Structure formats: structure tokens, C-alpha cells
Amino acid sequence: MAKDWTPSSWHALPAQQQPDWPDQGDLDRALKQIASYPPLVFAGEARSLQSSLAQVAAGNAFLLQAGDCAESFEEFSANNIREKLRVILQMSVVLTYSLGVPVVKVGRIAGQFAKPRSTDTEKVGDLELPSFRGHIVNSDAFTEAARVPSADRLVSAYHQSAATLNLLRAFTKGGFADLTRVHAWTQEFVATSPEGQRYEQIASEIDRALRFMRACGVDTESNHDLHETNVYTSHEALLLGYEEALTRQDSLTGNWYDCSAHMLWIGERTRQLDGAHVEFLRGVGNPLGCKIGPGTDADYVLQLCERLNPARIPGRLTLISRMGADKVEDALRPLLRAVREAGHPVVWACDPMHANTVTSAGGRKTRQFDRICAEIDGFVAAHKAEGTWPGGIHVELTGDNVTECVGGADNILDSQLDDRYQTVCDPRLNGRQSLDLAFTVAENLRASGLA
Ligand code: PEP
Ligand code: CO
């Protein structure tokens, strides 16, 4: 267990990006209520995820962490959850087949509500209002009243997370994740997208592999592994009061776990070594992530590893680089080298989204599919050069047919962004762009000889 740590020891340190709650009494009541509710996940599940991530750290598995930038209270439906899961499963089949290693699936889902912001206020025309901080805090509507933080939202976020997790568990264990079915969706993508035909070869190789298994007598009907899967949950642990309220002592080991999700990560804006977020997360037993941007130096990364994973447990810590397509190769190499030389067993994941955000001619926040791919290319190249394993990708996506990122299989144009721009925060890949990305990553890793 972490030394001199309690679930509330973070209170003594500066916490960035916390909302200005208007009424302390309301906040205390909401947090007390959440603290009395059941945990959302079980510590044993967090440990299973950590073991799987240890395989990623060792180069024997690949991490796919994906989902919304910010989950929405308004777009909360079975359809929405199912379509997101469908894309994650499809990407996972393509990656598993192409890389020949298990894919560890972690959703940005069932709790990904709170958003850090670069500025405290937003301006539209002459009106300046407090920034939207995620539906767990305030509303995205652009009115004075909508932007006031409301503690009731913390309780709503707990309930929405519970219902989402419930459906995820049902889908992943109840037949929806069946391998042959997931592959049939993938064939559909290849058949109907002109760009997708580029992937005909991988898709038909998967067919052949499935036929081969059946021919060898693998009973595809009764083998659980072909019908069920694990999809873990994760979110940015931003609102420390909420995370503390869901932190519980595991009855089996006596260790503390943040039972709001299986994996928690620290964002680029809250990763100060002497800040409250690092303090809180160092004490929980869950696998942790930390985003690292282009300004990160090797000395910082080594201190972060020491702080968050002093016992050097493989799978405990995932470093999620988000450098920008132009910078990633040069910025990442010294970090890979330093961590390798220090012997820290981290998972390296690439977030190719957050440092490649641009504003379109029409004023929409967007990302170009090609730049996203280019960041992954640079990430892979850096690992190849340093002899380390490019362990995974961390992406923002939705299963819906949105028009938020430009390019990709359907070549979405700048002028189409207004058609279906639905995100409440950052622009996400739509279902087709996501699958297209999985094929591109698969091709890239094969071409670099890493798979
Ligand atoms: C995010 O993942 O949505 C995010 C805000 O990322 P970052 O902390 O890397 O900017
Ligand atoms: Co985002």
C-alpha cells in the first residue's frame, strides 16, 4: 500500500480544474450519497485488467482504449452504447488478427463525463460564460444558468455509469460480441466502402482463419472465448471528490480501489507531480494512465513513474503520449529510451487525437483523419527505432455516423462538418473512420515488421 496515503490525502494539495461549486452543502450531500452507493466495479476486475496490461507492457498484447471525448446525459441510449461497443469490437478483431496478439479493450465509457478546459470561460459574440466542464458538472447549453455547476449531476453521472456498465456487461457476455458476428459487420464495411476494398485481403484472411479453426475441429459453438469478451471501463479521474466517494477498501486484499472504473487516467492539465491528482491516484490499486504532451521531458517521466508505480508492477502504468503528428517521433524517442533504461515496465499508448485538433474554415473544432494516422505512424517509428513495443492506441470515437473529423473512408469534407456534428466536446471519429483507422494501424504495424 502507498505510504502516507488516505483516500482524502489529496485535499492538502492544489487540485487543478475543479469546478466552482456554488453550494458546498449541496456538494457534500451529493458526495455522501455516492459514497453510500455500491461500487461500480469490483477490485478483482481491476486486477484482471492490470494482468492483461502487463502482457501489453511485455509486448505480448495490444491496448485499444476508445470511446467518447465526453459522454452526454442527452445521448444516453441503448443504441448509442451498442454502436460504440460494436465499433470497438470490430476494431479489435482487425487488430487481433493482424497483430497476432490479444487486444485488451478499454472503453472511454461508463464514467467519462468530466472535462478539463484550457480556459475558464468561453465567448460567443459578445457573451462570455463559464466553460462547459462535462455533464457531470454543468450543461453545454450556452446560457448563464446552464453553466452553473450542479451537484445533482454527480449523482446522475453515477446512475448513468451504472446503467451503461450493466448493458456493456450484458452485451459482452450475452452473444453480441460473438466473433463470427463481429466479423460479418467488418465484411460489410469492406464491401460497401470504396476505400474499404483496400482491406479486402485482411478481411478474407480472417475468413480463412475462421474456416481453418473449424476445419481443425475447434468447436466454435461451445468455445466461450469466441462468443464472449471483456470490455473494461475507464475515464479521466478529474473530479477528485467524486473519485474519492467511490474509493473503497477491497475486502480480499485490504488495498484501496477507485471503484468508479477499472482504469483511471490523469490528464495533460492535471499531472503535476506535487498536485492533488497524482497524490490521489498513487494510492489506489487500479491500473492508471497518464497523458503526456509535447512539453514532457525524460526527467519528469521518470519521476512520474516512480510516484505512480514505485513497486514497478507491470501493467500498473500506461503512458499515453499525445504529441502532435509533427512532433511525436522526436519528442517521444528520448522518453522511450529513458524509461527503458530505468527499467520501468510501462505500457506505451498513442493518443493521436488531442494534439491534432484544428479549427475548420467554418469555425468547427475538427481533426483530419490523415493527421491522426500520421501521429500513429510517428509513434510506431519511434518505438521501432528504440526497440520498444508500441503498446496501443487511445482514441475518441462513436459508433454513430457523425461528421466531426474530416477525411477517412468516406472522405468527409470541411463543408460537411455541419451535417451531423454532435459531440459535446472534442470531434470524434465516426464508425467507419474508426474501422478504417484499425485497418491502417494494422497495415502500418505489419509494414514496420512489428507484427
Ligand atoms: C481527453 O482525453 O479528452 C483530454 C482532455 O485529453 P488531454 O488531457 O490529453 O488533453
Ligand atoms: Co477529448
Side-chain angles (χ1 to χ4, degrees), residues 302-324:
L302 294 181
Q303 288 188 60
L304 185 77
C305 291
E306 256 338 290
R307 195 68 62 88
L308 294 177
N309 190 15
R312 303 188 175 210
I313 301 164
R316 157 79 168 162
L317 180 60
T318 297
L319 294 175
I320 307 159
S321 70
R322 29 90 84 222
M323 302 290 184

Side-chain angles (χ1 to χ4, degrees), residues 68-70 108 112 115-116 291 351 353-354 357 365 367 396 425-427:
D68 269 312
C69 177
R108 289 176 60 115
Q112 174 49 27
K115 297 313 297 173
K291 296 285 198 84
D351 165 356
M353 316 293 294
H354 284 91
T357 312
K365 211 166 39 148
R367 291 158 172 160
E396 289 182 343
C425 197
D426 289 338

Side-chain angles (χ1 to χ4, degrees), residues 68 75-90 109 163-164 167-168 170-172 175-177 181-182 185 231 397-400:
D68 269 312
E75 287 194 6
F76 170 43
S77 68
N79 258 1
N80 182 290
I81 298 165
R82 191 190 55 230
E83 291 310 299
K84 217 175 308 174
L85 175 63
R86 177 213 281 259
V87 174
I88 292 173
L89 295 174
Q90 281 182 281
I109 199 168
T164 303
L167 197 60
L168 274 182
F171 280 145
T172 50
F176 183 75
R181 164 182 187 140
V182 175
W185 303 330
V231 174
L397 57 76
T398 170
D400 301 331

Side-chain angles (χ1 to χ4, degrees), residues 280-340:
F280 173 71
L281 285 166
R282 79 180 175 91
V284 296
N286 310 60
L288 305 177
C290 187
K291 296 285 198 84
I292 48 175
T296 317
D297 63 36
D299 188 49
Y300 167 86
V301 171
L302 294 181
Q303 288 188 60
L304 185 77
C305 291
E306 256 338 290
R307 195 68 62 88
L308 294 177
N309 190 15
R312 303 188 175 210
I313 301 164
R316 157 79 168 162
L317 180 60
T318 297
L319 294 175
I320 307 159
S321 70
R322 29 90 84 222
M323 302 290 184
D326 296 328
K327 296 190 183 143
V328 59
E329 199 171 336
D330 292 340
L332 196 55
R333 283 189 60 177
L335 308 184
L336 300 180
R337 203 173 314 145
V339 171
R340 185 193 65 214

Side-chain angles (χ1 to χ4, degrees), residues 346-422:
V346 307
V347 169
W348 285 104
C350 174
D351 165 356
M353 316 293 294
H354 284 91
N356 295 308
T357 312
V358 292
T359 306
S360 75
R364 288 286 194 193
K365 211 166 39 148
T366 189
R367 291 158 172 160
Q368 293 180 352
F369 184 79
D370 288 348
R371 302 305 288 159
I372 292 170
C373 294
E375 175 140 7
I376 298 176
D377 286 352
F379 172 81
V380 171
H383 280 280
K384 191 166 162 72
E386 296 300 330
T388 43
W389 172 240
I393 55 172
H394 178 119
V395 291
E396 289 182 343
L397 57 76
T398 170
D400 301 331
N401 184 21
V402 300
T403 55
E404 298 171 7
C405 292
V406 293
D410 288 335
N411 194 24
I412 293 175
L413 305 172
D414 250 29
S415 58
Q416 294 172 304
L417 288 175
D418 282 342
D419 294 356
R420 288 176 304 283
Y421 196 95
Q422 291 162 8

Side-chain angles (χ1 to χ4, degrees), residues 126-140:
D126 283 339
L127 186 58
E128 189 168 356
L129 293 176
S131 294
F132 169 57
R133 293 188 173 272
H135 282 164
I136 192 171
V137 176
N138 57 7
S139 160
D140 53 306

Side-chain angles (χ1 to χ4, degrees), residues 73-384:
F73 281 5
E74 274 105 52
E75 287 194 6
F76 170 43
S77 68
N79 258 1
N80 182 290
I81 298 165
R82 191 190 55 230
E83 291 310 299
K84 217 175 308 174
L85 175 63
R86 177 213 281 259
V87 174
I88 292 173
L89 295 174
Q90 281 182 281
M91 293 176 79
S92 158
V93 167
V94 170
L95 291 167
T96 307
Y97 179 78
S98 307
L99 305 181
V101 295
V103 171
V104 182
K105 296 172 280 299
V106 182
R108 289 176 60 115
I109 199 168
Q112 174 49 27
F113 291 106
K115 297 313 297 173
R117 302 317 301 251
S118 315
T119 51
D120 283 337
T121 58
E122 272 168 58
K123 213 167 166 184
V124 174
D126 283 339
L127 186 58
E128 189 168 356
L129 293 176
S131 294
F132 169 57
R133 293 188 173 272
H135 282 164
I136 192 171
V137 176
N138 57 7
S139 160
D140 53 306
F142 198 70
T143 67
E144 185 96 48
R147 294 298 169 92
V148 178
S150 160
D152 291 344
R153 288 176 170 271
L154 293 160
V155 178
S156 304
Y158 169 91
H159 289 300
Q160 183 165 326
S161 301
T164 303
L165 188 53
N166 180 54
L167 197 60
L168 274 182
R169 292 189 196 281
F171 280 145
T172 50
K173 303 295 173 194
F176 183 75
D178 194 294
L179 181 63
T180 49
R181 164 182 187 140
V182 175
H183 178 55
W185 303 330
T186 307
Q187 285 168 312
E188 212 172 283
F189 165 80
V190 170
T192 57
S193 129
E195 246 286 88
Q197 282 163 25
R198 200 171 121 207
Y199 310 122
E200 182 71 53
Q201 193 196 342
I202 295 179
S204 55
E205 280 178 37
I206 299 178
D207 278 341
R208 251 206 314 279
L210 288 171
R211 280 203 304 275
F212 175 72
M213 278 197 301
R214 279 192 291 270
C216 290
V218 175
D219 180 353
T220 51
E221 287 297 304
S222 63
N223 187 323
H224 278 293
D225 290 338
L226 300 176
H227 303 294
E228 291 183 4
T229 189
N230 287 318
V231 174
Y232 295 98
T233 61
S234 71
H235 61 258
E236 177 172 351
L238 186 71
L239 301 185
L240 293 175
Y242 178 84
E243 302 302 335
E244 179 186 342
L246 281 163
T247 296
R248 312 290 163 85
Q249 198 162 19
D250 173 31
S251 55
L252 291 178
T253 60
N255 291 337
W256 292 92
Y257 283 83
D258 180 348
C259 297
S260 68
H262 299 111
M263 177 180 184
L264 286 315
W265 79 84
I266 307 176
E268 168 72 358
R269 293 163 192 77
T270 51
R271 58 180 171 79
Q272 300 77 19
L273 290 169
D274 49 5
H277 291 81
V278 169
E279 171 59 22
F280 173 71
L281 285 166
R282 79 180 175 91
V284 296
N286 310 60
L288 305 177
C290 187
K291 296 285 198 84
I292 48 175
T296 317
D297 63 36
D299 188 49
Y300 167 86
V301 171
L302 294 181
Q303 288 188 60
L304 185 77
C305 291
E306 256 338 290
R307 195 68 62 88
L308 294 177
N309 190 15
R312 303 188 175 210
I313 301 164
R316 157 79 168 162
L317 180 60
T318 297
L319 294 175
I320 307 159
S321 70
R322 29 90 84 222
M323 302 290 184
D326 296 328
K327 296 190 183 143
V328 59
E329 199 171 336
D330 292 340
L332 196 55
R333 283 189 60 177
L335 308 184
L336 300 180
R337 203 173 314 145
V339 171
R340 185 193 65 214
E341 283 167 5
H344 276 287
V346 307
V347 169
W348 285 104
C350 174
D351 165 356
M353 316 293 294
H354 284 91
N356 295 308
T357 312
V358 292
T359 306
S360 75
R364 288 286 194 193
K365 211 166 39 148
T366 189
R367 291 158 172 160
Q368 293 180 352
F369 184 79
D370 288 348
R371 302 305 288 159
I372 292 170
C373 294
E375 175 140 7
I376 298 176
D377 286 352
F379 172 81
V380 171
H383 280 280
K384 191 166 162 72

